Amino acid sequence: MSQSSLWLDTTERQPRAPLARDVGVDVCVIGAGITGLSAALELRRSGASVAVLEGRFVGAGASGYNTAKLSALHGLTYAQLERRHGLDAARAYAEANQHGVERAFELAGQLDIDCDLRRKPNVTYAETAADRDRVQAEVAAAGRAGLPASLVEELDLPFEIAAAVSVAGQAQFHPVAFLEGVARELERLGVTLSEGTMAVGVDAGSPCRVRTATGHTVAAGSVVVATHLPFLDRGLYFARCHPERSYVVAAPYTGEAAGEAMYLSTESPSHSIRTHELGSGTWLLVGGESHKTGQADAQERYERLERWMLERFGVQATMRWATQDQMPVDGVPFIGPVDHVSANVFVATGFRKWGLAMGIAASELLAAWVEGRDHPWRSLFDTRRLRLRAAAGSLLKENANVALRFVGDRLVKRADVDSIAPGQGRVVGQRLAQRAVHRDESGELHALSARCTHLGCIVNWNSGERTWDCPCHGSRFAVDGEVIMGPAVSPLERREPPS
Ligand SMILES: Cc1cc2nc3c(=O)[nH]c(=O)nc-3n(C[C@H](O)[C@H](O)[C@H](O)COP(=O)(O)OP(=O)(O)OC[C@H]3O[C@@H](n4cnc5c(N)ncnc54)[C@H](O)[C@@H]3O)c2cc1C
Ligand code: FES
């Protein structure tokens, strides 16, 4: 079964060359997902010279592998946001996200991007009466935050619900077609967009110097790190967010039971549902089965999601894909300076699986930071905030989990090489000598160091995607050790296969 995403599979992407010389620009943007490309466009349009560095290719990160809803309604968010951060914060959050939705329409119109952009209501539904109060509280809180939220008791889905919150004026799109359209406009405006160019370090200064794995540097007045989780450890974002991976399965769909809106359930594990009209046919997409990256079996999660789709809609999945997003400790993304001392290096991360509208909105905030302008959303998303009351529980829980993995995974008894089936991988060996061993389909063994090149946790085999995933901060590596997702920037080191 295909494991590419529907979005990457149905876009004619234009390959771009790696950075082949040293360059000097006003702003270097690192990462060509929705946040990086939107930020590059904002900055270029306001007159800055811009270079974009992308480690893999446009849309290779979370922006190319999601369910592609553009929305300000994010599950059940507003009641909690208001309780933790206050009503003004909830209003700013709603305003930023709705602005991101509207901006997607503006950009698609201005740049003539054919990306299946279409208005739909977004709905969060509860199947059980136990969640009815939470849904009602969300309707009220989302309304106070300024969204047109209403309570609904029946949906056009093939099962009963207890209650739902529905917000009109949201949208869905084809994210990779949108990204390609923005990328082409950037190139038309003279922006250098280099793919296959991993940034490995940023020396802050005037100018900043961005070092790349290809050996070339970019000298830039400011740097925007839009790499999902920043690969720079300063700012400690790896300790202020945790990575959650979730899955999407899809199939061509001719029925009428999948509703006219976009849906997300309140239960755990939650389920996301929507259809997408593509060419002459319709696809049904179902998402869910989240877990902390590197800490569950992907194959089992895919199978559970496929069973759910078959049971609820009578459709067998023909495509599957997955990605992860960063969950911030206090529930609010981080957008602003990387730390207290590097005045011209900026980051945007922690989008909690809702970074499409928010990534577009973030680009305006990033441009304001780079240009030294104030912005109405600045204090809510400020990276230097300290809201201990809102963050403490999650901060302690997630960092205790990382500490446990760092120590515990060195001590567990490891697999025997003989137990590794063709196409599979296991960690073998003891303590510091642990190796990540993969047996290819022909039976040959390939070994890598099992120590993640970020901060040294022991990677785990992901059987559903055939990758090595780090259970601490979510770095992911291919079977040859190459980085698929950071914060790591260096590959796993090769080792001698066990005999
Ligand atoms: C299953 C799932 C479904 C989702 N569905 C939705 C949805 O329906 N709606 C929604 O709003 N959000 C959704 N999200 C979240 C959303 O996809 C993300 O929040 C968003 O795409 C983040 O965009 P980004 O540009 O910040 O990061 P990314 O898209 O990950 O882009 C980062 C880029 O940086 C590159 N990079 C990384 N490190 C380096 C480096 N060192 N040097 C150079 N380049 C580097 C990567 O290759 C990547 O291309 C979903 C998330 C998941 C897990
Ligand atoms: S991602 Fe941080 S140790 Fe692996």
Side-chain angles (χ1 to χ4, degrees):
M1 183 182 302
S2 165
Q3 284 200 358
S4 176
S5 74
L6 184 62
W7 322 125
L8 286 161
D9 251 24
T10 54
T11 309
E12 220 167 279
R13 283 178 298 121
Q14 175 184 324
R16 296 167 174 97
L19 186 70
R21 61 188 171 90
D22 294 351
V23 294
V25 284
D26 296 327
V27 187
C28 178
V29 174
I30 310 175
I34 199 147
T35 310
L37 291 183
S38 311
L41 186 61
E42 281 297 321
L43 288 156
R44 181 69 196 101
R45 281 179 160 185
S46 59
S49 58
V50 179
V52 179
L53 305 180
E54 164 54 48
R56 299 180 73 217
F57 53 85
V58 168
S63 301
Y65 290 87
N66 45 62
T67 44
K69 301 173 183 172
L70 288 160
S71 181
L73 178 72
H74 298 171
L76 299 179
T77 296
Y78 287 95
Q80 193 183 52
L81 203 56
E82 190 183 320
R83 204 167 50 244
R84 282 173 159 190
H85 301 277
L87 181 56
D88 286 348
R91 284 196 177 132
Y93 187 93
E95 186 185 291
N97 279 283
Q98 191 63 42
H99 182 80
V101 178
E102 304 311 326
R103 187 82 179 128
F105 279 92
E106 255 173 59
L107 288 175
Q110 286 167 4
L111 307 181
D112 197 19
I113 306 175
D114 180 4
C115 59
D116 309 334
L117 187 57
R118 195 179 148 185
R119 290 273 177 199
K120 275 190 176 179
N122 193 16
V123 174
T124 306
Y125 69 87
E127 279 195 64
T128 60
D131 269 356
R132 202 185 153 82
D133 289 353
R134 291 169 69 213
V135 168
Q136 277 173 331
E138 188 69 5
V139 175
R144 285 192 295 274
L147 295 176
S150 55
L151 183 70
V152 174
E153 294 186 327
E154 273 179 22
L155 287 178
D156 49 359
L157 289 175
F159 48 84
E160 299 278 301
I161 61 149
V165 47
S166 175
V167 172
Q170 310 305 297
Q172 64 179 38
F173 73 152
H174 186 307
V176 179
F178 181 82
L179 292 181
E180 269 301 320
V182 175
R184 279 198 290 271
E185 173 67 2
L186 286 170
E187 289 170 322
R188 195 187 68 79
L189 295 173
V191 170
T192 318
L193 202 177
S194 309
E195 294 188 332
T197 305
M198 189 71 89
V200 294
V202 176
D203 304 324
S206 296
C208 301
R209 288 199 184 276
V210 180
R211 288 173 278 115
T212 70
T214 54
H216 296 290
T217 59
V218 179
S222 300
V223 177
V224 171
V225 180
T227 56
H228 203 234
L229 188 65
F231 66 100
L232 303 173
D233 284 342
R234 50 189 190 257
L236 302 179
Y237 295 94
F238 62 82
R240 295 202 273 159
C241 294
H242 77 270
E244 262 193 26
R245 196 152 183 83
S246 41
Y247 301 85
V248 186
V249 298
Y253 187 64
T254 50
E256 287 174 3
E260 285 296 317
M262 309 178 287
Y263 311 87
L264 180 68
S265 68
T266 58
E267 81 248 11
S268 180
S270 67
H271 291 103
S272 164
I273 305 162
R274 83 164 181 88
T275 52
H276 192 93
E277 291 73 35
L278 201 60
S280 57
T282 298
W283 284 75
L284 173 63
L285 275 60
V286 165
E289 292 291 342
S290 301
H291 61 82
K292 195 165 176 186
T293 303
Q295 300 196 14
D297 182 54
Q299 180 61 22
E300 193 183 307
R301 301 297 169 127
Y302 275 130
E303 285 169 9
R304 288 218 297 245
L305 206 52
E306 283 164 10
R307 272 200 304 277
W308 193 85
M309 180 154 126
L310 189 60
E311 279 164 22
R312 297 293 174 111
F313 296 98
V315 181
Q316 184 65 55
T318 56
M319 282 194 90
R320 41 161 78 168
W321 64 89
T323 190
Q324 63 202 43
D325 210 358
Q326 295 293 332
M327 313 301 283
V329 283
D330 62 3
V332 176
F334 293 103
I335 305 163
V338 65
D339 59 21
H340 287 268
V341 290
S342 318
N344 44 3
V345 181
F346 305 94
V347 300
T349 192
F351 291 126
R352 37 189 311 275
K353 298 188 204 163
W354 286 105
L356 295 176
M358 191 62 230
I360 297 174
S363 70
E364 294 189 24
L365 196 42
L366 287 164
W369 275 108
V370 168
E371 291 159 9
R373 286 184 281 116
D374 201 0
H375 194 287
W377 310 326
R378 182 164 158 158
S379 67
L380 172 62
F381 298 106
D382 196 331
T383 43
R384 300 159 305 174
R385 67 186 183 256
L386 188 61
R387 298 184 192 129
L388 268 185
R389 208 158 57 92
S394 175
L395 195 66
L396 288 175
K397 178 169 158 251
E398 296 307 332
N399 286 293
N401 175 271
V402 168
L404 190 71
R405 299 309 302 233
F406 187 85
V407 178
D409 287 355
R410 285 172 159 66
L411 304 178
V412 288
K413 184 157 176 352
R414 291 304 184 171
D416 192 330
V417 176
D418 296 338
S419 70
I420 307 175
Q424 295 301 319
R426 304 285 284 271
V427 174
V428 304
Q430 293 294 311
R431 295 169 192 268
L432 293 179
Q434 292 186 82
R435 279 171 291 179
V437 179
H438 165 64
R439 190 188 294 279
D440 67 23
E441 299 293 350
S442 71
E444 196 180 335
L445 292 173
H446 306 269
L448 303 163
S449 162
R451 288 171 51 128
C452 171
T453 54
H454 177 225
L455 294 176
C457 288
I458 302 296
V459 295
N460 279 327
W461 177 247
N462 173 341
S463 66
E465 293 162 284
R466 301 197 176 188
T467 55
W468 296 105
D469 297 356
C470 180
C472 287
H473 315 112
S475 291
R476 301 184 60 241
F477 304 87
V479 285
D480 63 0
E482 284 306 314
V483 176
I484 298 174
M485 221 164 201
V489 290
S490 306
L492 295 176
E493 288 169 24
R494 286 186 188 275
R495 292 281 184 270
E496 276 302 304
S499 45

